[in-house]
Amino acid sequence: FAEMLSNPRLTSVQTMVVINQNVTLSCHSRSGSPPVTYTLFKHSQKISTLSRTDLTPALFTVIINSASDVGEYKCKAENNISSGGKYSKSFKFTLLEPVSKPVLSSPTSWAKKGRKVTLSCLSENGSLPITYVFFKGTQSISRPVMMQKREAAVVFSFINSSSDLGTYKCRAENSFPNNTKYSNSFNFTLAENRSYSQPLVISCGLILLLVVIGLAVAIPIFAIHSYKASE
């Protein structure tokens, strides 16, 4: 006797894909009377049809050329007694994009001994999550920081001596294979180098100005007194 098809199941061995990759989608109704016609849809648009004389899965090959090719996909199964066919649940791939070169930055490039400084690292592009690691020279100064959102990873570092001034870098990586990117270099400058020189220059300038003003006032007064004394 003829049996109506069960709802098909749309699956793939690979759920994470990269651009220019070929992937296979399997559409399969576990029960129902063959022959079965399977149709694959992407965003409600029919892209391929396959027929099976038994209840073996229909295998569709899809090429991931752009971000729009990750889905959503659905498939429809039909036999001689199905009315309108049976549809699967939607399926969507996860697109893996390599991380871009991260940018290492800080609110200020000046640092004081005994104070902490803030470092931020961000890759503008790349599949999430992205894991960041901070370095001073070749030595890591943080545990891996995994970011689930497109936000900068932030660490704090204490400046205890001139050796703590740099050079700093950060590293970014995600699930994309064989892709690790390092940031620009960042160096701090001790604030004391500037704080000593500026007040000294300002103080000398003020003293010189006061001397000039004093002379400008004293000379006329002295001249007046000298004139009166000579009368």
Side-chain angles (χ1 to χ4, degrees), residues 185-205:
S185 300
F186 191 93
N187 294 79
F188 289 100
T189 302
L190 276 179
E192 286 80 358
N193 294 338
R194 185 177 63 171
S195 60
Y196 288 145
S197 59
Q198 283 188 344
L200 182 60
V201 172
I202 293 172
S203 298
C204 291

Side-chain angles (χ1 to χ4, degrees), residues 59-211:
L59 302 178
F60 298 94
T61 299
V62 176
I63 302 175
I64 307 298
N65 291 316
S66 66
S68 64
D69 293 327
V70 298
E72 294 180 345
Y73 292 91
K74 282 188 177 183
C75 70
K76 181 175 72 171
E78 301 174 278
N79 64 1
N80 294 331
I81 66 167
S82 61
S83 176
K86 295 293 183 76
Y87 286 85
S88 71
K89 294 181 179 180
S90 60
F91 180 91
K92 187 175 183 178
F93 292 102
T94 299
L95 181 64
L96 287 179
E97 294 180 277
V99 293
S100 58
K101 180 178 178 178
V103 175
L104 182 65
S105 61
S106 177
T108 177
S109 61
W110 296 92
K112 292 184 178 181
K113 288 184 180 180
R115 301 286 184 88
K116 65 181 180 181
V117 291
T118 304
L119 287 164
S120 301
C121 185
L122 176 65
S123 286
E124 291 287 351
N125 299 299
S127 304
L128 299 171
I130 298 176
T131 300
Y132 298 94
V133 179
F134 292 80
F135 297 86
K136 186 184 72 178
T138 58
Q139 183 179 1
S140 64
I141 59 171
S142 74
R143 294 181 178 180
V145 182
M146 181 179 289
M147 302 299 295
Q148 301 287 347
K149 297 181 180 180
R150 189 75 59 191
E151 296 176 350
V154 177
V155 298
F156 302 98
S157 181
F158 279 91
I159 305 298
N160 294 317
S161 65
S162 58
S163 63
D164 294 325
L165 296 179
T167 301
Y168 291 88
K169 281 190 176 184
C170 68
R171 183 182 72 199
E173 57 188 354
N174 60 4
S175 299
F176 194 92
N178 302 318
N179 182 72
T180 299
K181 296 290 179 65
Y182 285 87
S183 73
N184 54 292
S185 300
F186 191 93
N187 294 79
F188 289 100
T189 302
L190 276 179
E192 286 80 358
N193 294 338
R194 185 177 63 171
S195 60
Y196 288 145
S197 59
Q198 283 188 344
L200 182 60
V201 172
I202 293 172
S203 298
C204 291
L206 288 174
I207 293 171
L208 181 61
L209 180 61
L210 291 173
V211 170

